[in-house]
Structure formats: structure tokens, C-alpha cells
Amino acid sequence: MDVELVEIQEFLASHPPFDKLPPETLERLPKRLSVRYIRRGSVFPPLDADQPYLYILRRGAVELRDAQGDLVGKLAEGDLCDMACRLGGNAVPMKGSTAEDTLVYLLPCTDLTALRAQHAHFAEHFDQSVAHRLRRALDAVTNAPASGAGLMTLRVGTLINRALVTATPETSIREAAQVMAEHNISSLLIMVGEHLAGLITDRDLRKRCLAAGLPSDRPVREIMTERLETVNVDTLGFEALITMTRLNVHHLPVMSGGKVAGILSTTDLTRFQSSNSVYLVGDVHHAKDLDTLIEISSKVGELQVHMVNGGATADQVGQAISAITDAITRRLLEIAEAQLGSPPVPYAWMVGGSQARREQTSYSDQDNALLIADHMKPEDDAYFAALASIVNDGLNACGYVYCPGDVMARNPKWRQTLRIWKKYFNTWIQRPEPMALMLSSVFFDLRPVHDPEGLFEEIHDQVLNLSKDNRIFIAYMAANAVKNRPPLGFFRNFVLIQGGEHDHTFNIKHRGIVPIIDLARVYALSSGITETNTLERLRTAAGINALSKDGAANLSDAVEFVGTLRVRHQAGQLRRGEKADNFLSPDELSPLERGHLKDAFLLINAMQESLAQRYQTGRIN
Amino acid sequence: MFFVPSFLDWRRQWQRLRARPGPLRDYLAHRLPRTDQDWRAADYLAIDLETTGLDTERDLILSVGYVVMHGNRIDLASARHRVVRIDRRIPEASAVIHQITDDQSAGGLELADVLAELLPVLAGKVMIAHHATIECGFIGNACRRLWRAGLPVRVVDTQVVAHRTFERRQTAFKSSDLRLHSLGERYNLPRYSAHNALSDALAAAELFLAQAAYRETGDWLPLKKFLW
């Protein structure tokens, strides 16, 4: 059968899930189809069908409404309607009607069943569980890095040299240095039998021995680092990198079944990454002045591009970039203190929003506040005002632009004593009002980045204790969290918004990520969970109160999937020398990604519905 | 119900007596579809020919494409495309349009075999074609040459239906508006880029579905409203 119906075959081949069928099946498929033409305004699927069919839209548009008559979806060219094939299952009763004159291809449901039985990848598309589809989409995204294999997929075990070079605590520093020189290594594991006792590095030899004037015949025990973070051979290269970034260390012992398997150094990791977050953080620690910090922070965009190329997920990008912002903030505080002298009373520098959640991408703005010990005197404020200005201006110069809502330490309102802060939170939680809700995303995601005296803990405990059992406050937070609804899906090259409106682009952060962040915050506050990071909140809240284990896992998948699309979108812009933003056009998405995004939206919507019901938010809004 | 034979049915009976034994005579043994039935109850065969020119006496059929329609549903399983072997070179002027090469034609089937395959499918069905005089003329002439009788057939000519629609609505139109693809666009139909007999037959079938859908009121709509 030569040229027959080649165009219909090509049409099918370019639309999921038919693109998953092998060519020989695809070639026979057009012959299984029939064609119908349905005028605008007609019932869809048509009532006079001689048997149940899967409908494939070739031209035209179909609107789907739920039992209440609300628009739940809109189909266009290449979209499928398998409603009739799902009867008896957990099909959602929906009413369709053609919004345009529509030409459809009909495949008998019996044929669909046979195809699903024979072709697993094809069948996945019809998997009735949105959660399963999303899980697979996420796996696909994380397993297929944008370019090449990277640290995302490699385990630490494959990166290390397994030949262990060790010494005992009683070895002399000189001997240890000789061993390191002999093996040309920059660190040495200190062992007592099979037990890891400590680690020495080049830096320790320099700082704790030579610079400190310690005789080299002293035992290494005196200069070794004893309290060690370790990673496992199964740890992903990336997680190890983030641990190093967070701790600002260049070496990590690698364990396997409780035994030391080797040592991982940044050099092992940098083979895979040219612009490395560990080095950026290291550079920040050594930066002498603001200009150097500005130069370092200009590489953050490049880091995001590299990480995305390496297959990093949104969480990994967020962790790495937030670690750098933390380091820059701390360095600016050091610079400010060096300039202004020691603080008159202890203080804590608190960060809010995405930095607090460790979910920053390059070019996030700054949200911060100062928490000052209660015994400060009125005249001390001049010191903290000056400190805040130096840090706020410095961050702004580094690309973390001033917070548009003025939530910054330089604002006197957010530079207060512990007592005032406790009063603030007390008011927000006990007498919830719109202002508190507006600030909620900033101040209910709060974390100290510099807090030598541990001032923050008291606030934190208070917030959790007050909010946990305050059902009214949680209901207000919930009402706020369900206000921002995700889009319904896509229609042609438009985003389909609740109520049936279309848009050319959509803000993927506000529409797809913020709703999950807001949900996670409610779950965390209602269960007294201390985490600020959205994934950690979901993980910890799973199975408690409002959040089922499945719900938590599904939302985690959704936020990772949507977030990863976002960091990729931004990386694409940065690569092209454009400014990174959150505005995604459906044109940028593959049909498959659109399908998965739509799944994520559905899921968010369902979780919002269930939260709304639980807290009766309808009575608040 | 008492069956009143139409004029065309009388012609069919008459031709049946004249026809040589073979596929045409078998075709003629079938009754033609009744014109007073609802259009959705009838079966159709949408057809298109590619020819060496427009002269039904002297030019030759190069390829035949067709697809069957059951009521308001086109059945793609029935789609066929056949290239016909001819005994002369394909004129360049027509080759630009249908893009059938001499080599392809040489690898084609005998016209008699193509018609022997077509006629049993057409039996009992209404023919759909765009500018059907070409299809009726060429196939009728071929039947007369091969089997000594003409081909009585009920015909929906989508071009005639479109013409009537324009006139009924008193819409101004150019002759180019009556072309298959211009009409398809009017009804939001897909545009097939390949220009061959089958895709044109399919386009004509889809056009008829659209035309009929636009005439629908939900009530009974007799087939004869669409016949030429």
C-alpha cells in the first residue's frame, strides 16, 4: 500500500502517544480509523456513534465541562478524547461540545485496548493515574540531562580512587606530609584500625601547623579535623557537591557499609563541572571587597546553565545557588562588621522567601530582616541601620535586587528586637488579616544565615507553637494557598486559564510553583514542622494531618517537574545572553511536556481542593 | 414499501441487458440507492481520478483513488489508491499536476483490473466526486470500451452542492472559490499537501460531510437534496 494515507500516518506520528508506536504499527493504523465532521456547538463525543471510540482531533476544538458546567479542558488539533473508552472505570463524568467545526479521527476502543496491551510506552499515556504519569515524567527529565551525563546520575563510588592512603593519629605531622607528597594527594585519612578518626588536608598543614608554629614532630591528632561529614558510595555526585558547598570543605570521606571506601575531593567533581558551586562559595569566603563579590556573583547565571546542562533538577539548582547567596550574605556581614566595628549587642541576620527555602535561581531578589537582642539601647540602632545598608546595597550590587515590597533589614520595621518580632508573629498568627497573609510567604519561610547567639530559635519555636494549634490562622493560610489556581492546561499555543481565557505566556513560577510552596507551608505550619524547604516540608509532613503520603509524593514530583522546566527555561535564556525570567510560552514545550505540565496542574488543583475543603476556606474568601 | 424505479434505475436495467458478462454486469445487478432515504442511511464511495488531460474521449486514466463512507462516517480501511498502466507517454503538462511518472505508470495495473476491483465496491453506493463529470465521463467511457455498456450511478458532486449553496445564500463567488481546497478551508478541513487521487477523494468525502452537516437540522434529510 504505497502512498495511501501517508499524511494521516504522519499526523499521528507527530502527536503523542502515537509517536511511541513502532513504524510498522503506525503504518497500519490509519486503516483502522474512520473520519467524522462535527459542527460547532454539537455534543461531543457524538451521541450517534455505532460503538465506543477514541477520538483524535484533526481540526477544530472541543470544550470539556464538568457536571457543574465549569470548563475543565479544551482540546485542539492532535488532542485525544478517550472518555468513551473509559466507561466503567473511574471516568470523570464530563460533557463535551465542539467549539469549532471539528474533523475527528475515530479509533474503536477495542483497537485502543489492543494497542495498549502490545505497546507499553504507548499505554503509559492512558495510565489513569496522573501521579504515575508525573512520576515517570520526572524520571525522564532527571535521567536525560539536557546535554551529556553529569553529576546528576553518577554515584560518588564511581568518582573516587579506591586506593586508601591512611595514617594513624599518632603519626607525626612530618611523616604524614611525606606520605601526602609521595602519593601526590591533598588529604590524608587518619584511621584507628578500621575506624575513621579524622582527616588532614593541605590547608590543615598550612594553617594549623606551619602558620601556627607547631613543631612537625607533633602527632597529626593535634591538627586533624575530627568531626567529619561523610557521604556514601551511593550518594549522587551532585548531593556530595551540595554538601561540600554548604560546609565549604573540599574533601569528604566516602563510606560504604560503615567502612571508609575512599575520599572525595572537589577535583574529582570538577572534572564534571567547569563552574563549580563549591569553588564559588570558596571564592566568596576569600573575597576581600564588594567588587570581588560582584564578580563572583556574576558567575551564578553561568553556574545555573552548567548545572542544567549536567541534568540538575530545580532542587539541586536551588540548593547550590542559595548556598552561594548565604555565603555572599555572610561575607557582606563580615565586611560590614570590619568597617563598623563589633556589634553593640548580638543580632541575627534572617533571610526569607526563596533564599530561606533554599529555592533560589539566579537573579532572585533579596528578602531579609534583622533580629536584635532585647537589651539593645535606642542609640544602637544607628549601628544596625548602617550594617543593614551595607549588606542590602551589597546584595543589590551583586544582582540580588532590592525587595520590591521593602522587606529588607534596612527598613526600620524589619530591624527589630526579639521582643518586637515575637509581638509581630503573635499578631500575625492570633489576629490573621490580609497583611499577614501577604507577608506570609516571606516571614513564614524564615531562616537565620548569621546567628552566633542563637536568637532565632526563640522566634521559631514561638511561630510553630502558636500556629500549630491555631485553626483559624491555618484556615487563613489555607485560603491564601488555594487562591492562586494553576492553569487548566493548554489549547493550541495558548495557556488555558480557569474560566476559559487564553494567554500566550504564563508565569511558571506563580502559576505552577508558588501554589505548591503555599500548600507545603500550610502543611508544615499545621504540623509544627521546622523545615523551610518545600521538598523537605512535604517529605516531613507526609502522613501527618492534612497531607497523605501519596499526596506528598505527588506534590514533590510536581514541584520538581515544574521547577526543573523553569530552571531549564532560564538556563536557555541565560545561554542566549538574555535576562532570565519566569514567562514560559507553550511554544517552548514539547507536546509531551505540555501533557505532563497539565498533569501537574491537575494534581495541584486537586490538592488545593482538598485543602480548601478541610479548612472550609470558602467561608474566608 | 412499493419500490418505484427511477429513470436511472430503468437505464441500469437496460444497460444490464447490453453489458458483456463481467464486473460491470455484476455491478448493474445491484439496485441504485434510493433517493428518498435519509442521507445518513446511504453508503457512499468518494472517488478521484488523475488523467492525462480533460478530454474524456481521448485522454487516459492514470490513477484512481477512493474511499467508502457509511452514512456520516468515512471508513479509512476502504481507502485505495491504484496507478494505471497506459500505452503512451504521460504529457508533461499533466505530469506537473499529478506527479505520476512514466516509470510509475509502467509499474501500474491494467485499467480493466482496477475497474474490476472498483465496481463491486461502488455497487449499491452513491458516488461522491468533486466536478464529477470527469469521473463519470472517464469511467463511463472505459466501461463502454471494455464491457459495451455505460455506468448508471447516483452522484453527489460536491462542486455542484457548493455552487447551489452559494446561489441559495446569494453569496458572490469566483470560480476559484469552487475548487476543492478553497472549499475545504471554508469548512475548517485539513489541507492535504500531497496531490494524489486518494487524498483528493478523501478531501471530497470530508467536504461532503461538512456540506451535509451544514444542511442538517436534526430531522430527516433526503439524499436527493444532494444529488446532481
Side-chain angles (χ1 to χ4, degrees):
Chain A
M1 259 163 241
D2 45 1
V3 299
E4 287 179 24
L5 308 173
V6 127
E7 280 178 88
I8 294 175
Q9 185 188 324
E10 281 168 2
F11 172 81
L12 293 173
S14 64
H15 289 89
F18 300 104
D19 54 350
K20 296 277 184 295
L21 292 173
E24 59 278 13
T25 309
L26 210 48
E27 207 172 295
R28 288 192 301 269
L29 196 55
K31 287 260 166 184
R32 306 299 309 160
L33 302 176
S34 43
V35 186
R36 286 195 64 173
Y37 184 86
I38 297 153
R39 267 198 79 179
R40 176 155 44 113
S42 312
V43 175
F44 188 89
L47 301 171
D48 62 348
D50 59 332
Q51 57 170 309
Y53 288 106
L54 165 75
Y55 292 85
I56 307 155
L57 263 72
R58 173 65 196 252
R59 298 282 290 172
V62 168
E63 288 182 347
L64 299 172
R65 291 174 189 280
D66 62 14
Q68 285 78 45
D70 288 332
L71 187 66
V72 291
K74 210 164 167 182
L75 310 176
E77 291 77 12
D79 290 336
L80 307 183
C81 175
D82 67 341
M83 231 190 283
C85 299
R86 283 188 294 162
L87 286 181
N90 46 354
V92 191
M94 277 196 285
K95 289 186 198 122
S97 70
T98 45
E100 291 171 14
D101 290 338
T102 298
L103 190 90
V104 278
Y105 296 142
L106 289 65
L107 181 72
C109 292
T110 47
D111 283 62
L112 178 62
T113 310
L115 286 174
R116 286 172 62 177
Q118 284 156 21
H119 307 283
H121 288 299
F122 173 82
E124 280 172 9
H125 185 92
F126 298 92
D127 193 328
Q128 312 220 341
S129 147
V130 167
H132 285 173
R133 290 205 300 258
L134 207 55
R135 175 80 254 179
R136 265 195 305 266
L138 188 60
D139 288 348
V141 163
T142 47
N143 290 338
S147 66
L151 291 178
M152 264 36 292
T153 47
L154 287 172
R155 306 275 163 188
V156 165
T158 64
L159 297 169
I160 53 168
N161 181 352
R162 279 163 186 274
L164 282 182
V165 184
T166 65
T168 67
E170 301 310 322
T171 311
S172 74
I173 295 173
R174 187 186 304 116
E175 271 177 78
Q178 282 164 352
V179 172
M180 287 165 72
E182 195 182 311
H183 290 88
N184 194 25
I185 50 177
S186 56
S187 65
L188 188 63
L189 291 160
I190 312 300
M191 310 277 288
V192 179
E194 296 236 309
H195 170 73
L196 178 65
L199 180 80
I200 60 163
T201 65
D202 278 349
R203 191 154 58 163
D204 298 328
L205 292 173
R206 206 163 54 233
K207 280 184 145 179
R208 296 178 186 166
C209 176
L210 291 172
L214 194 72
S216 61
D217 55 359
R218 304 294 304 162
V220 285
R221 158 166 61 79
E222 291 182 17
I223 62 162
M224 72 183 184
T225 306
E226 288 177 66
R227 286 178 58 188
L228 291 171
E229 284 274 335
T230 59
V231 287
N232 207 277
V233 280
D234 302 333
T235 308
L236 288 173
F238 221 90
E239 288 170 34
L241 183 58
I242 285 163
T243 308
M244 288 178 162
T245 308
R246 190 160 48 81
L247 303 171
N248 187 32
V249 297
H250 289 206
H251 300 89
L252 281 176
V254 180
M255 311 298 283
S256 172
K259 287 185 186 167
V260 182
I263 187 139
L264 181 74
S265 75
T266 36
T267 332
D268 297 322
L269 296 173
T270 40
R271 283 188 284 139
F272 292 89
Q273 274 202 304
S274 51
S275 111
N276 187 300
S277 55
V278 177
Y279 279 144
L280 285 185
V281 169
D283 291 348
V284 169
H285 283 277
H286 300 132
K288 287 272 177 292
D289 49 25
L290 180 60
D291 286 341
T292 318
L293 285 178
I294 293 172
E295 203 198 307
I296 296 165
S297 65
S298 71
K299 291 180 190 150
V300 171
E302 194 190 323
L303 172 73
Q304 181 171 347
V305 172
H306 279 296
M307 290 184 73
V308 167
N309 284 350
T313 64
D315 180 50
Q316 292 158 336
V317 172
Q319 295 276 1
I321 291 180
S322 304
I324 292 164
T325 314
D326 285 3
I328 291 177
T329 310
R330 284 192 200 106
R331 188 68 196 125
L332 283 168
L333 284 165
E334 283 166 18
I335 291 174
E337 283 190 22
Q339 210 174 310
L340 302 169
S342 302
V345 293
Y347 71 94
W349 184 272
M350 306 187 292
V351 297
S354 60
Q355 188 184 353
R357 294 191 306 269
R358 295 192 174 91
E359 290 163 11
Q360 280 188 310
T361 62
S362 49
Y363 307 115
S364 296
D365 55 5
Q366 54 172 303
D367 299 301
N368 44 58
L370 262 179
L371 169 63
I372 308 166
D374 281 332
H375 58 279
M376 92 178 248
K377 293 185 204 68
E379 62 268 27
D380 292 339
D381 187 57
Y383 175 91
F384 291 109
L387 178 100
S389 288
I390 293 173
V391 179
N392 288 156
D393 295 347
L395 285 170
N396 186 64
C398 287
Y400 304 95
V401 296
Y402 294 124
C403 167
D406 210 18
V407 178
M408 286 180 288
R410 69 174 190 184
N411 180 347
K413 198 172 176 200
W414 310 128
R415 188 174 68 242
Q416 294 290 352
T417 58
L418 179 59
R419 191 169 42 82
I420 302 286
W421 275 108
K422 282 162 109 175
K423 222 170 93 188
Y424 281 171
F425 276 101
N426 204 46
T427 313
W428 290 334
I429 297 169
Q430 306 286 15
R431 288 200 300 278
E433 44 143 345
M435 180 61 177
L437 298 175
M438 240 180 58
L439 296 170
S440 71
S441 74
V442 180
F443 287 124
F444 289 95
D445 303 342
L446 203 61
R447 172 170 70 82
V449 297
H450 175 75
D451 184 15
E453 302 293 318
L455 296 174
F456 180 74
E457 203 160 321
E458 251 188 84
I459 290 198
H460 206 212
D461 290 347
Q462 186 208 14
V463 170
L464 291 175
N465 288 332
L466 284 178
S467 59
K468 197 171 110 185
D469 303 313
N470 190 329
R471 207 178 151 84
I472 294 174
F473 169 70
I474 300 292
Y476 268 88
M477 296 289 282
N480 198 44
V482 303
K483 240 184 229 166
N484 187 7
R485 288 300 174 104
L488 291 171
F490 300 95
F491 174 67
R492 302 210 170 107
N493 288 330
F494 296 100
V495 182
L496 188 64
I497 301 163
Q498 304 260 353
E501 278 178 66
H502 300 162
D503 222 328
H504 283 290
T505 62
F506 72 113
N507 187 319
I508 190 169
K509 183 186 173 195
H510 288 147
R511 290 289 189 165
I513 300 171
V514 169
I516 306 181
I517 294 172
D518 287 347
L519 286 170
R521 185 181 305 114
V522 177
Y523 300 135
L525 289 173
S526 67
S527 311
I529 285 165
T530 57
E531 317 290 349
T532 49
N533 177 267
T534 299
L535 283 178
E536 283 170 18
R537 279 174 165 172
L538 291 171
R539 208 173 297 137
T540 318
I544 325 178
N545 281 343
L547 186 62
S548 71
K549 281 195 173 135
D550 280 350
N554 294 346
L555 278 179
S556 300
D557 290 348
V559 77
E560 274 287 73
F561 180 74
V562 181
T564 302
L565 284 185
R566 172 182 176 230
V567 293
R568 286 193 178 182
H569 159 79
Q570 295 186 337
Q573 290 177 316
L574 294 170
R575 217 178 287 130
R576 293 189 296 271
E578 298 163 12
K579 203 171 161 359
D581 64 26
N582 291 312
F583 288 97
L584 207 71
S585 152
D587 295 327
E588 289 177 51
L589 300 166
S590 74
L592 205 63
E593 286 169 332
R594 285 187 196 202
H596 295 321
L597 253 187
K598 199 181 150 188
D599 285 343
F601 294 157
L602 272 174
L603 199 95
I604 296 167
N605 204 46
M607 296 303 282
Q608 286 180 330
E609 288 288 338
S610 96
L611 193 72
Q613 260 180 11
R614 189 182 174 92
Y615 290 102
Q616 301 286 305
T617 58
R619 291 195 298 202
I620 290 168
N621 280 338
Chain B
M1 203 179 15
F2 181 66
F3 179 68
V4 186
S6 62
F7 166 73
L8 203 61
D9 253 310
W10 286 116
R11 230 187 95 201
R12 173 180 68 84
Q13 303 276 26
W14 166 242
Q15 302 280 5
R16 187 182 169 198
L17 298 174
R18 284 181 41 166
R20 287 185 186 166
L24 181 63
R25 199 155 84 177
D26 298 341
Y27 168 87
L28 293 168
H30 288 84
R31 275 188 188 150
L32 294 170
R34 293 180 54 164
T35 62
D36 56 352
Q37 64 180 327
D38 186 80
W39 76 274
R40 280 161 300 197
D43 289 333
Y44 304 81
L45 180 125
I47 188 165
D48 184 69
L49 304 181
E50 298 294 339
T51 58
T52 56
L54 296 177
D55 186 333
T56 55
E57 297 295 334
R58 262 173 254 153
D59 283 312
L60 299 176
I61 298 174
L62 282 167
S63 68
V64 182
Y66 56 87
V67 62
V68 168
M69 208 168 99
H70 301 292
N72 57 12
R73 195 168 56 81
I74 302 168
D75 177 12
L76 292 183
S78 65
R80 296 287 182 277
H81 183 256
R82 297 289 180 253
V83 175
V84 178
R85 180 159 42 213
I86 61 168
D87 56 3
R88 62 177 100 143
R89 287 186 62 83
I90 297 169
E92 213 180 299
S94 73
V96 215
I97 302 168
H98 49 64
Q99 297 188 350
I100 296 172
T101 61
D102 286 313
D103 283 348
Q104 282 171 317
S105 178
L109 303 166
E110 290 299 330
L111 182 60
D113 295 334
V114 173
L115 292 181
E117 188 187 22
L118 165 70
L119 289 173
V121 186
L122 182 60
K125 296 190 180 68
V126 182
M127 180 194 279
I128 296 172
H130 197 72
H131 193 64
T133 42
I134 294 285
E135 280 69 26
C136 291
F138 274 98
I139 298 172
N141 285 342
C143 286
R144 270 186 284 277
R145 270 199 304 276
L146 289 163
W147 297 295
R148 292 278 173 86
L151 181 79
V153 61
R154 297 235 188 276
V155 176
V156 172
D157 185 335
T158 45
Q159 193 173 54
V160 172
V161 175
H163 193 270
R164 284 189 210 145
T165 309
F166 280 129
E167 289 194 327
R168 195 174 46 246
R169 294 193 193 146
Q170 300 184 320
T171 320
F173 62 94
K174 305 184 294 285
S175 63
S176 65
D177 293 336
L178 289 173
R179 289 214 305 258
L180 185 57
H181 294 297
S182 322
L183 289 165
E185 259 169 53
R186 211 170 265 270
Y187 289 105
N188 199 25
L189 294 171
R191 178 157 195 150
Y192 299 106
S193 54
H195 185 77
N196 65 55
L198 177 59
S199 63
D200 281 358
L202 182 57
E206 290 172 354
L207 176 57
F208 175 61
L209 280 182
Q211 290 171 329
Y214 267 75
R215 289 289 297 273
E216 284 266 25
T217 55
D219 287 340
W220 178 76
L221 181 62
L223 174 62
K224 63 174 165 243
K225 294 272 187 197
F226 299 105
L227 299 176
W228 67 352

